[in-house]
Amino acid sequence: MSESSADTQGPAPGFESALPVSGQTEALSPLVRRRICPNGGPFTASGTCSYIVGRGRVVVIDPGPDDAGHIEGLLASLAGERVAAIVVTHTHRDHSPGARLLQARTGAPIVGCGPHRAARQLAENELPALDASADREHRPDRELADGESLDGDGWTLTAVATPGHTMNHLAFALPEENVLFSGDHVMGWSTSIVAPPDGSMRAYMDSLDRLRERGETLYWPGHGGPVRDPRRFVRGLAAHRRQREAAIRARLAAGDHDIAAIVRTVYQGLAPHLLGAAALSVFAHLEDLVERGLVVTDGPPLLGGTFRPA
């Protein structure tokens, strides 16, 4: 799930506008195929990317939402092959519920991220902003820790912990092709939404720093097309977030003390249906700034709270 254009106003790391087409299976490399679920929209690009890794004995990464037609399409693409495992990057409803549908048809184990969890406890009277998007029924047969791997015929998938978008988010490295399945942590068409208490801006930025130290030359994300030159792109994402943080601090210094006022100034001209995502992005930055002692608020940080420079 992305912020769509809600967080691409101003300096950005070069997002691509061209999107791959849903509803067809495409060979991307000798080991990787992709089929995109037709659940496209302002927060999902052309739809959720499901990836097939291997030949003969395969894994399916992120079977997508509860969409029987998409599962049928995946299975038709795998005629004569066997699904050895169903891998899930994180527990948002556009990524993980399809795993249970695919398991019912194939018997393959569900592996990857653990159950959905929040970055922190809810404050008194606080409601989770993205509760409807969380797949709380996800229970993997095997939860992969950072660095654990799955092996198959000519392929290896190694889990890379990348919390932030969700706290259980995993990316998966495929060393045979030096690529990374980056889920919703890094996407080439938009920034990822980070919405407390579901996600954490500090964890997200730390995960970006971790990815910058890796050597993969291409990312296959959860939505949109590939991320090329990922080190440079990830560096741009981090810079973009730091610039957004600086803009928020400047508005606080100028007298904007609530999130709605900051959004009106920082995101001028934003489409009304994206204002909620922009507010969540500002909230994530403010929560991080409070934790770092750079901003203060009365009580715990809240989406409807007031904030001021420390």
Side-chain angles (χ1 to χ4, degrees):
M1 180 187 295
S2 83
E3 289 181 337
S4 187
S5 57
D7 203 42
T8 61
Q9 309 296 308
F15 298 107
E16 295 185 5
S17 57
L19 297 175
V21 178
S22 65
Q24 61 189 39
T25 302
E26 178 183 6
L28 303 175
S29 73
L31 285 176
V32 179
R33 287 166 279 177
R34 176 184 64 199
R35 187 176 184 89
I36 300 175
C37 181
N39 63 329
F43 299 101
T44 55
S46 52
T48 301
C49 296
S50 298
Y51 294 99
I52 302 164
V53 179
R55 298 282 174 174
R57 180 176 175 270
V58 307
V59 296
V60 176
I61 301 175
D62 283 353
D66 186 354
D67 186 317
H70 179 56
I71 300 302
E72 289 293 342
L74 283 169
L75 290 171
S77 303
L78 295 172
E81 300 181 273
R82 182 170 73 87
V83 178
I86 303 162
V87 175
V88 177
T89 61
H90 67 290
T91 45
H92 277 158
R93 291 188 178 276
D94 55 332
H95 285 260
S96 55
R100 297 187 289 278
L101 296 183
L102 187 58
Q103 183 178 58
R105 298 290 301 276
T106 65
I110 298 172
V111 301
C113 72
H116 193 82
R117 66 181 189 273
R120 58 166 173 77
Q121 290 186 336
L122 289 173
E124 187 176 358
N125 298 322
E126 182 183 18
L127 297 176
L130 293 179
D131 191 52
S133 71
D135 177 14
R136 300 187 184 280
E137 299 177 30
H138 178 78
R139 295 291 185 275
D141 297 295
R142 178 188 172 193
E143 182 176 344
L144 292 181
D146 180 55
E148 287 192 306
S149 297
L150 291 175
D151 299 302
D153 299 331
W155 55 262
T156 309
L157 284 179
T158 301
V160 180
T162 46
H165 173 64
T166 61
M167 296 311 292
N168 62 355
H169 194 286
L170 295 175
F172 291 92
L174 177 65
E176 289 82 0
E177 294 189 346
N178 200 27
V179 301
L180 184 81
F181 297 95
S182 57
D184 280 7
H185 189 70
V186 175
M187 297 177 285
W189 77 290
S190 175
T191 52
S192 177
I193 193 166
V194 179
D198 207 36
S200 161
M201 186 61 70
R202 177 50 34 205
Y204 178 82
M205 295 296 287
D206 288 346
S207 293
L208 285 182
D209 287 343
R210 185 179 187 204
L211 290 188
R212 286 172 58 187
E213 299 174 356
R214 299 184 60 86
E216 285 86 9
T217 57
L218 187 74
Y219 289 0
W220 293 115
H223 304 275
V227 175
R228 307 182 192 279
D229 195 1
R231 277 186 170 177
R232 179 175 178 273
F233 189 85
V234 169
R235 190 163 57 245
L237 278 179
H240 179 53
R241 293 287 189 176
R242 287 193 295 269
Q243 289 162 346
R244 180 67 71 220
E245 176 187 289
I248 291 168
R249 293 184 69 185
R251 292 317 309 164
L252 289 174
D256 291 343
H257 296 312
D258 62 79
I259 290 173
I262 294 170
V263 168
R264 282 195 298 271
T265 305
V266 174
Y267 295 86
Q268 292 184 28
L270 187 65
H273 70 280
L274 296 175
L275 290 174
L280 291 172
S281 176
V282 171
F283 181 34
H285 278 291
L286 287 169
E287 183 177 81
D288 179 42
L289 287 165
V290 170
E291 290 175 1
R292 290 155 55 196
L294 298 173
V295 169
V296 294
T297 185
D298 297 324
L302 294 171
L303 188 60
T306 58
F307 302 84
R308 58 191 182 277

